[in-house]
């Protein structure tokens, strides 16, 4: 028998695949229950923008035509949104794809990438898939101002001549912690000009802190900077897979070389374009999230459950023990949350902000679980 595992590239041999949140249908099928709620994948509980849904259904009529491989209209709109040239935008099948394209363009055996402990799980995956070395910098202390958040000093200390990429999540998932403009700008200035700094802003639109930065403003000064954004979170289009990056035109040109010619489908392009114009949907999503964070935070506090203060659309809370039993019992109550042991948080669970009714359902389920 051929041992195909031994024949795979070393990085892939050791790879453990990304564990997505459990789908509602899977839970209902397994437990024979109905009306389960999924608060496990940081999706927008408000749903997609109605304008995006309308544009997507229009696009269905032309499914026999290949998508615009250059995403002309969508790139124009995104360039305008960020005040950059369309050549600085790279579209991805989710921002995850952009992260992967970056790894394929800059990383290889003998090169390394730096990220923080407790950072988004996709960074180590894309690094390892190309057999490069991933370096996780120790995070900030549990009792610091940004518990478990990125320690930019520790990250900078891990950068050496072999570091081609640094991943910074702002805010970070699953901690919900964030970095202010002054700290982030100082960090980017400190990283060698030969190292690409990727700032992942999947949750940027939710953040209301006054000193939360817009690093696309710094692209003129930092040609080694790349910012990623997603349509999966605030725009509610996770099912369509659409994300993008903003960078220097030179960096975008390189990422484009490894991109598949039609990586972003026609329906996603049409829906994304409409979603950008739907500022009312974005504003309503921000409002609902602000209220949901408050509701969940107050509910957890009342119950004496510790949590990491979050600026995203999720809260990671501390069960105080290995959380497998609590997770399973919440499932039986019809509420799906997310274990985060794979993020180095062995006693925490993450809950996504839902509608007011869903948040209440989660808190009630937590009560039921704690009484038994
Ligand atoms: C959800 C998420 C993404 C977005 O992924 P998509 O591929 O755009 O759906 C990117 N980064 C972080 C930190 C996330 O949590």
């Amino acid at each position: 028998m051929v041992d195909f595992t031994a024949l795979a590239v070393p990085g892939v041999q050791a790879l453990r695949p990304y564990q997505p949140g459990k789908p509602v249908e899977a839970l209902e099928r397994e437990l024979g229950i109905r009306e389960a709620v999924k608060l496990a994948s940081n999706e927008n509980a408000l749903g997609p923008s109605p304008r995006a849904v309308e544009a997507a259904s229009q696009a269905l009529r032309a499914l026999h035509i290949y998508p615009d491989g250059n995403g002309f209209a969508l790139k124009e709109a995104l360039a305008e949104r960020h005040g950059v040239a369309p050549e600085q935008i790279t579209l991805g099948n989710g921002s995850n794809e952009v992260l992967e394209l970056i790894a394929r363009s800059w990383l290889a055996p003998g090169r390394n990438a730096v990220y923080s402990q407790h950072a988004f799980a996709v960074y180590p995956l894309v690094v390892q898939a190309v057999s490069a070395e991933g370096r996780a910098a120790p995070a900030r202390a549990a009792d610091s101002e940004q518990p478990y958040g990125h320690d930019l000093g520790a990250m900078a200390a891990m950068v050496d001549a072999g570091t081609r990429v640094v991943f910074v999540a702002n805010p970070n998932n699953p901690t919900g912690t964030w970095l202010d403009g002054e700290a982030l700008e100082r960090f980017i200035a400190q990283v060698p000009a030969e190292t690409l700094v990727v700032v992942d802003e999947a949750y940027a639109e939710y953040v209301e802190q006054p000193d939360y930065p817009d690093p696309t403003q710094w692209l003129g000064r930092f040609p080694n900077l790349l910012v990623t954004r997603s349509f999966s979170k605030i725009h509610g289009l996770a099912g369509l897979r659409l994300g993008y990056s903003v960078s220097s035109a030179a960096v975008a040109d390189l990422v484009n070389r490894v991109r598949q010619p039609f990586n972003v489908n026609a329906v996603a392009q049409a829906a994304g374009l409409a979603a950008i114009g739907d500022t009312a949907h974005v504003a309503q999503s921000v409002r609902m999230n602000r209220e949901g964070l408050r509701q969940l935070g107050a509910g957890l506090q009342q119950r004496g459950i510790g949590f990491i203060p979050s600026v995203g659309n999720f809260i990671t809370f501390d069960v105080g023990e290995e959380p497998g039993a609590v997770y399973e019992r919440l499932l039986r109550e019809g509420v799906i949350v997310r274990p985060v042991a794979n993020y180095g948080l062995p006693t925490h669970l993450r809950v996504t902000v839902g509608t007011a009714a869903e948040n209440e359902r989660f808190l009630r389920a937590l009560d039921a679980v704690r009484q038994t």
Side-chain angles (χ1 to χ4, degrees), residues 90-92 96-106 126 254-256 258-260 263:
T90 305
L91 300 179
N96 273 310
E97 192 197 25
V98 179
L99 299 173
E100 194 201 353
L101 296 175
I102 290 160
R104 284 171 54 200
S105 304
W106 276 279
V126 298
L254 275 155
V255 179
N256 249 305
V258 289
R259 183 179 68 81
Q260 302 235 353
N263 64 329

Side-chain angles (χ1 to χ4, degrees), residues 73-90:
L74 181 55
K75 277 192 192 174
E76 288 271 315
L78 291 170
E80 196 188 315
R81 181 197 220 184
H82 292 285
V84 298
E87 298 73 43
Q88 295 178 260
I89 308 285
T90 305

